[in-house]
Amino acid sequence: LRTFFFSQLIAKAQNQQHDVEAVYVASILHDSGLSPKHMSSKYRFEVDGALVAKELLRRHDVVGNRAELVWDAITLHDSSLAQWKQPEVRLVSQGVNADFGAYLDIMKRDHIVAVLEEAPRHDFIPVFLQAVAAVAKKKPFATGTCFVTDVAYRMVPGFHLDNFCDAVKDNPFAGYGPAGN
């Protein structure tokens, strides 16, 4: 839910027109592939989440371009490739990134506090990291590795990428009140 709220604040700050309902559906379902109930044995969690959304949309007679838009927003929510896609795809990705502290400079503090009060982050990071670790344990081949990274680790001396766990260890919302913790 925070992803959706943040995406709307970002859209407002950027004066970005978009399909609000598509962003909402993609935002609330973007991590559904982390749930054991929706986790396949072989696909990346992003694809699992997109499959959940696609089935839900199909049951409500939403098919075609709009369903594909939601699919793209979910499958690309954690990818830098989202910035090159439609506004809805970009906004879901930006909303996800905002939940980790990005875009705080373009949103109003009182709006951020309101989001955190409506959808608190209590213990979010450890719970999220455990869910992602469960995916990696169950299906390590679907962790989203990139062949360029594999080549770099083998062929570029001293190559190193920052680790996501290190990047999220500090809470960017610590100064926004108790709901931000």
Side-chain angles (χ1 to χ4, degrees):
L1 194 54
R2 282 187 311 273
T3 294
F4 174 70
F5 290 152
F6 285 138
S7 75
Q8 298 312 287
L9 293 175
I10 292 165
K12 183 177 181 179
Q14 297 174 342
N15 197 27
Q16 182 67 64
Q17 299 298 313
H18 62 285
D19 180 337
V20 175
E21 189 174 47
V23 172
Y24 178 76
V25 170
S27 292
I28 64 170
L29 294 175
H30 77 272
D31 277 345
S32 58
L34 294 174
S35 165
K37 178 179 179 181
H38 301 296
M39 191 184 301
S40 72
S41 62
K42 60 183 175 180
Y43 300 127
R44 290 172 57 130
F45 86 92
E46 301 94 334
V47 171
D48 290 338
L51 289 171
V52 169
K54 196 170 205 173
E55 175 56 25
L56 175 70
L57 292 170
R58 186 197 61 73
R59 286 196 317 254
H60 292 278
D61 298 321
V62 179
V63 294
N65 290 340
R66 199 166 189 215
E68 293 304 317
L69 184 63
V70 171
W71 169 275
D72 284 353
I74 294 173
T75 58
L76 295 173
H77 78 266
D78 59 354
S79 170
S80 62
L81 300 174
Q83 70 182 320
W84 305 104
K85 297 291 284 179
Q86 302 92 329
E88 295 79 6
V89 176
R90 282 195 310 271
L91 286 168
V92 172
S93 180
Q94 290 171 329
V96 167
N97 286 312
D99 203 16
F100 291 97
Y103 302 100
L104 298 180
D105 58 331
I106 67 170
M107 295 183 281
K108 294 181 179 177
R109 179 181 175 77
D110 58 327
H111 292 162
I112 295 168
V113 170
V115 168
L116 296 172
E117 287 175 354
E118 188 67 29
R121 293 180 90 243
H122 303 303
D123 296 321
F124 168 65
I125 293 298
V127 170
F128 175 76
L129 293 178
Q130 286 299 318
V132 174
V135 169
K137 184 176 181 180
K138 179 176 181 175
K139 46 186 180 178
F141 52 86
T143 58
T145 60
C146 173
F147 80 93
V148 176
T149 304
D150 292 344
V151 171
Y153 272 118
R154 295 281 172 93
M155 300 185 73
V156 178
F159 180 82
H160 173 78
L161 291 175
D162 292 338
N163 186 284
F164 177 79
C165 293
D166 295 333
V168 300
K169 71 179 189 272
D170 296 325
N171 182 358
F173 299 101
Y176 288 88
N181 295 322

